[in-house]
Amino acid sequence: TDPTTIQFAAFEQGFRNLANTIPVSAKELANMGAMAGQLGIHNESLLTFVETMAKLQTATNIVGEEGAAELAKFMNIMGTSQDKVSNLGSSLVDLGNNFATTEKNILDMALNLAGAGKQIGLSEGSVFGLATALSSVGIEAEKGGSAFSKIMIQMATAVDEMDTSVGSKLSEFAKISGMAAEEFANLFKTNPAEALAAFVEGLGTANERGTTAISVLEEMGIKEVRLRDTLLRAGGAHKLFNDAVKRGNQAFKENTALQREFQTFSETTASKLALAKNRLTDVAIEAGNKLLPVLADALKHSDGWINGIKGMVEWFSKLSPSIQAVAGALTAVAVAGGPVMSIFGYIRLGWGLG
């Protein structure tokens, strides 16, 4: 992060302060901060980013440096303002709580959708919503995310070309969505998430129109197995899309879900024990900071006795193994017998006084 001395001290104190209120160690927090800094999180936003990641680690299955890296990459791709990181956390938590998926699965999928999502004008909450719907039906993040991104790009290209003739890509997307070509194009330009949801719903309700989703995709020339499987699963989950997108955007705007979830998990016994350990560690850090200058000063004047000890060790190492063994045994007796010899000393003293 290339901080100034003052910033570095602020980071240290900031991580220690967080560790006293969040059940994540100061070392883990510092590692998250290092990862975030490497991925472009600015110094002035670093502690806020780490605090959000620590709360996510406490309340969800998004963990440590890996989670920090994924969230930072998502922000970079989407161009998210760095003061909105807690909004992202709230969106993830709310979606994870209300759909059949986890926060990590949502983030993994969203990272694969982010590039295409940004290109067609989706908001962060909308990308999380789409990722939620797709991961809820068991679509894998890497393969399914890439496949769905492909259909988003095809849709955007068709809208840009504005070929409204019968049989054009735009007309096919519009027909499946139950709209005229121009109507679909205008919707895509103003609300791409809703246009995507309409297309997916069209696939999901193809049977009601006397056809099948497979036939519809065949007519569009979509024969790639992975892409077709992703769209068929998405069509089966079409009712989820609008709900997930709306929840993702609403939770992002409200920015309360993460804090509520964190407070709930903070009351667990495991969290309380972790906090107690963190506070003891902080006391040790404080003590170490006080003792280090004293120890450093002592070491400046330690050459004489350190060299003496070193000489004794070298002399002992040159003795024969049998003599070393006897010396070791005598030392053990002396250590173990210290208290015993003290007792004999007290007995003799008693006799003498008698």
Side-chain angles (χ1 to χ4, degrees):
T1 60
D2 193 26
T4 64
T5 302
I6 294 174
Q7 285 176 321
F8 193 86
F11 289 156
E12 178 188 5
Q13 192 59 53
F15 295 143
R16 288 173 58 188
N17 291 344
L18 285 175
N20 282 323
T21 57
I22 298 176
V24 179
S25 72
K27 181 178 180 180
E28 287 180 274
L29 296 171
N31 288 340
M32 291 179 195
M35 179 60 70
Q38 289 171 8
L39 291 169
I41 301 300
H42 302 150
N43 286 340
E44 58 269 22
S45 302
L46 197 67
L47 288 174
T48 301
F49 180 91
V50 170
E51 180 180 3
T52 298
M53 287 308 310
K55 288 179 178 178
L56 281 170
Q57 176 165 314
T58 302
T60 74
N61 63 340
I62 295 174
V63 178
E65 294 172 66
E66 181 184 355
E70 286 200 338
L71 193 62
K73 288 175 184 176
F74 179 82
M75 293 173 68
N76 288 339
I77 295 169
M78 295 297 297
T80 306
S81 174
Q82 294 189 3
D83 62 354
K84 297 294 183 183
V85 62
S86 63
N87 300 70
L88 294 176
S90 289
S91 187
L92 283 168
V93 166
D94 190 77
L95 290 166
N97 283 347
N98 290 283
F99 293 88
T101 185
T102 67
E103 290 83 358
K104 178 169 175 29
N105 287 340
I106 296 170
L107 182 56
D108 288 346
M109 180 67 78
L111 193 55
N112 283 280
L113 295 173
K118 173 66 173 177
Q119 191 169 333
I120 69 172
L122 291 177
S123 66
E124 292 89 345
S126 294
V127 173
F128 280 162
L130 291 176
T132 298
L134 292 171
S135 61
S136 292
V137 292
I139 295 174
E140 293 181 12
E142 186 173 351
K143 296 177 181 178
S146 299
F148 202 80
S149 292
K150 186 177 291 185
I151 208 69
M152 287 195 282
I153 298 302
Q154 288 181 13
M155 205 174 282
T157 302
V159 170
D160 286 342
E161 291 174 352
M162 272 308 286
D163 181 359
T164 59
S165 62
V166 177
S168 68
K169 277 289 184 186
L170 178 58
S171 295
E172 289 177 341
F173 281 125
K175 180 181 177 182
I176 294 170
S177 305
M179 304 177 198
E182 289 186 5
E183 181 185 4
F184 180 83
N186 289 333
L187 178 62
F188 187 86
K189 290 175 182 177
T190 57
N191 194 334
E194 190 174 332
L196 280 167
F199 172 72
V200 169
E201 184 176 357
L203 288 176
T205 58
N207 290 337
E208 299 173 13
R209 300 191 303 276
T211 183
T212 65
I214 293 176
S215 299
V216 169
L217 294 176
E218 284 282 350
E219 289 175 12
M220 291 188 68
I222 296 175
K223 298 179 180 181
E224 184 184 336
V225 175
R226 185 185 300 172
L227 177 55
R228 185 159 59 178
D229 178 62
T230 299
L231 290 174
L232 288 173
R233 289 201 197 188
H238 66 274
K239 294 180 181 178
L240 294 177
F241 272 75
N242 276 323
D243 290 343
V245 168
K246 287 177 182 176
R247 285 203 78 102
N249 283 312
Q250 187 63 29
F252 183 93
K253 181 180 178 182
E254 292 176 353
N255 191 25
T256 57
L258 175 59
Q259 184 60 28
R260 283 200 310 268
E261 192 82 349
F262 168 71
Q263 287 173 343
T264 299
F265 276 85
S266 293
E267 295 303 314
T268 64
T269 301
S271 290
K272 290 179 179 178
L273 287 173
L275 275 176
K277 180 182 176 182
N278 287 352
R279 286 165 185 163
L280 286 172
T281 301
D282 193 63
V283 171
I285 292 171
E286 190 65 29
N289 286 340
K290 296 291 190 295
L291 289 172
L292 278 174
V294 178
L295 180 59
D297 185 64
L299 288 173
K300 289 180 182 178
H301 307 93
S302 63
D303 288 349
W305 56 267
I306 287 179
N307 288 332
I309 293 173
K310 182 179 178 182
M312 290 175 63
V313 171
E314 289 176 350
W315 169 79
F316 184 78
S317 67
K318 293 176 182 177
L319 295 176
S320 68
S322 58
I323 294 176
Q324 288 181 12
V326 171
L330 291 174
T331 301
V333 169
V335 171
V340 177
M341 297 306 292
S342 298
I343 293 172
F344 279 121
Y346 285 122
I347 292 172
R348 290 182 62 192
L349 179 61
W351 283 344
L353 291 174

